[in-house]
């Protein structure tokens, strides 16, 4: 079929009318990308491709709107986009395009995520690893990122800082060292610190050290 005319619908979209009276609505950018002109002949497959590309354009706009708010991993974006679009294959194609252009980058996301959570929340290495995994970051990226930004000395430093801060709060309500120990232990473990490190840190920050357990 042939394009009979291309008519402006609004500032963002146009209406393409065919000689058989069929009509489709596309974003201007999609029309420009395909170089469509009056009298062009299009097959049903061509039209289907145009409609898919228009859907991909909608998906891309939504993805970019999420990325304007904060950096996302590919998996995070996929999960959010799937709430708005049912075409999984088109979502995947769009995300691959964004990856190729480095608009989304799991390695960059992981580095920002780790640095922020260390600085703002003092998360342990274990918690960082599990949270990155949940966000779809590959094992290799996780390991490289944690090796780059996280050391055992830093983990110990962050654990001590958390314990001292929490201790002040607990001591305002409790004066029994055994109770304080248990509360601090549960708190540090909730942040992802293992029992042995948490126990060691707590015995350092609680004074006097006797009668803890």
């Amino acid at each position: 079929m042939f394009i009979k005319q291309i008519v402006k619908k609004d500032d963002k979209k146009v209406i393409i009318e065919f000689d058989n009276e069929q009509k489709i609505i596309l974003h201007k950018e999609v029309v420009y990308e395909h170089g469509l002109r009056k009298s062009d002949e299009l097959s049903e497959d061509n039209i289907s491709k145009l409609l898919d590309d228009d859907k991909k354009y909608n998906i891309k706009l939504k993805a970019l709107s999420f990325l304007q708010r904060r950096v996302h991993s590919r998996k995070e974006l996929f999960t959010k986009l799937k709430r708005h679009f049912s075409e999984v294959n088109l979502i995947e194609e769009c995300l691959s395009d964004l990856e190729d252009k480095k608009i989304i980058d799991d390695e960059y996301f992981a580095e920002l995520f780790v640095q922020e959570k260390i600085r703002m929340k003092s998360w342990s290495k274990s918690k960082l690893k599990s949270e990155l995994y949940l966000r779809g970051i590959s094992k290799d990226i996780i390991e490289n990122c944690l090796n780059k930004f996280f050391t055992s000395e830093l983990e110990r430093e962050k654990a001590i800082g958390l314990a001292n801060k929490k201790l002040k709060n607990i001591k305002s309500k409790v004066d029994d060292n055994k109770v304080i120990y248990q509360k601090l232990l549960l708190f540090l473990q909730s942040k992802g610190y293992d029992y042995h490190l948490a126990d060691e840190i707590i015995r350092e920050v609680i004074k006097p050290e006797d009668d803890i357990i």
Side-chain angles (χ1 to χ4, degrees), residues 73 106-107 109-110 132-139 141-142:
S73 68
D106 276 357
E107 185 173 359
F109 167 83
L132 286 171
Y133 178 78
L134 289 174
R135 286 161 176 79
I137 308 302
S138 71
K139 182 179 178 181
I141 290 178
I142 291 174

Side-chain angles (χ1 to χ4, degrees), residues 5-211:
Q5 61 178 346
I6 300 175
V7 182
K8 178 180 178 181
K9 180 178 184 294
D10 53 38
D11 289 339
K12 297 180 179 180
K13 296 183 178 182
V14 299
I15 301 171
I16 297 181
E17 299 180 9
F18 295 95
D19 57 351
N20 64 352
E21 305 305 320
Q22 182 179 341
K23 297 180 182 179
I24 60 174
I25 297 174
L26 300 173
H27 283 88
K28 289 181 180 179
E29 286 77 2
V30 175
V31 174
Y32 296 150
E33 182 182 342
H34 285 268
L36 298 179
R37 296 175 181 273
K38 182 179 177 180
S39 300
D40 283 350
E41 182 179 8
L42 301 178
S43 67
E44 290 293 342
D45 286 343
N46 294 148
I47 294 174
S48 178
K49 176 69 165 58
L50 283 171
L51 292 173
D52 278 350
D53 284 351
D54 198 68
K55 289 177 184 176
K56 277 180 64 176
Y57 187 78
N58 280 325
I59 293 170
K60 178 183 177 182
L61 289 178
K62 180 61 73 173
L64 292 175
S65 73
F66 289 134
L67 290 169
Q68 285 178 344
R69 300 170 196 172
R70 70 167 178 82
V71 178
H72 288 65
S73 68
R74 177 173 176 139
K75 182 180 179 180
E76 285 180 325
L77 273 182
F78 177 84
T79 300
K80 289 185 177 182
L81 290 170
K82 201 167 181 300
R83 296 170 189 161
H84 299 271
F85 305 97
S86 59
E87 298 88 356
V88 172
N89 61 316
L90 296 182
I91 294 175
E92 292 285 10
E93 286 180 22
C94 179
L95 293 178
S96 293
D97 290 343
L98 293 175
E99 273 188 331
D100 290 342
K101 296 172 182 175
K102 293 296 182 180
I103 295 173
I104 56 175
D105 184 332
D106 276 357
E107 185 173 359
Y108 177 66
F109 167 83
E111 291 187 358
L112 286 185
F113 185 87
V114 167
Q115 292 178 81
E116 178 189 353
K117 298 308 178 185
I118 290 174
R119 183 178 71 255
M120 302 296 292
K121 296 183 178 293
S122 296
W123 279 6
S124 69
K125 187 174 184 178
S126 174
K127 186 172 179 65
L128 285 167
K129 185 180 292 187
S130 63
E131 291 293 333
L132 286 171
Y133 178 78
L134 289 174
R135 286 161 176 79
I137 308 302
S138 71
K139 182 179 178 181
D140 287 343
I141 290 178
I142 291 174
E143 290 301 323
N144 290 337
C145 185
L146 292 178
N147 289 336
K148 182 176 181 180
F149 294 104
F150 215 96
T151 64
S152 56
E153 292 79 10
L154 177 62
E155 183 166 37
R156 198 171 192 285
E157 175 189 324
K158 292 297 181 181
I160 291 173
L162 280 174
N164 278 317
K165 186 176 180 180
K166 187 68 173 178
L167 181 61
K168 292 178 182 178
N169 177 267
I170 296 174
K171 275 192 169 182
S172 67
K173 304 170 185 176
V174 179
D175 59 6
D176 185 326
N177 276 345
K178 291 181 180 179
V179 176
I180 292 173
Y181 173 89
Q182 290 298 327
K183 287 182 176 292
L184 279 177
L185 182 63
L186 290 173
F187 172 71
L188 289 177
Q189 288 182 314
S190 74
K191 297 294 184 180
Y193 293 94
D194 66 51
Y195 170 81
H196 296 292
L197 178 59
D199 175 71
E200 179 185 330
I201 297 301
I202 294 168
R203 291 178 182 277
E204 284 186 24
V205 301
I206 293 181
K207 301 184 184 326
E209 295 179 350
D210 55 328
D211 296 329

